[in-house]
Amino acid sequence: MSDENSVFEALAHPTRRQILQDLKDGEQAAGEIAARFAVTGPTISRHLRILRGAGLVVERRDANRILYSLASDRLALSVGDFLSTVCPEQIVLREVRKRRSPADPEPAVSR
């Protein structure tokens, strides 16, 4: 399986997407993550293993705890690369966003 496929496979399950959202605020212990879900600890461990295998989270050990955090930029780069191939205009939008100063308002999007 390609590297990009492993990212999208990891994103396919709603529990894994929720874990990623929960980690956006910082590092969490495996037990803290598991406590948020109505599934068994081993099930959460499997989800964390898939996320780690896809390179979306990293773990570190602190005594007897395993702490998880988001892998820096991995998700954005993987999804961005994919979008760039199917939506080339995303490359242009990304460049415009980079050049815009933080004080500039977001442009209105017409539909």
Side-chain angles (χ1 to χ4, degrees), residues 20-77:
L20 292 173
Q21 288 177 353
D22 292 346
L23 290 174
K24 77 179 177 346
D25 294 325
E27 186 176 67
Q28 293 181 23
E32 292 174 278
I33 295 167
R36 291 189 172 93
F37 297 93
V39 296
T40 66
T43 298
I44 293 300
S45 291
R46 183 174 46 83
H47 286 304
L48 288 166
R49 189 170 44 254
I50 290 168
L51 290 168
R52 194 177 64 244
L56 296 174
V57 299
V58 293
E59 71 176 33
R60 79 176 175 89
R61 296 197 179 260
D62 179 34
N64 62 344
R65 298 182 334 149
I66 302 174
L67 300 167
Y68 290 89
S69 59
L70 293 176
S72 178
D73 296 332
R74 170 79 167 128
L75 179 59
L77 291 172

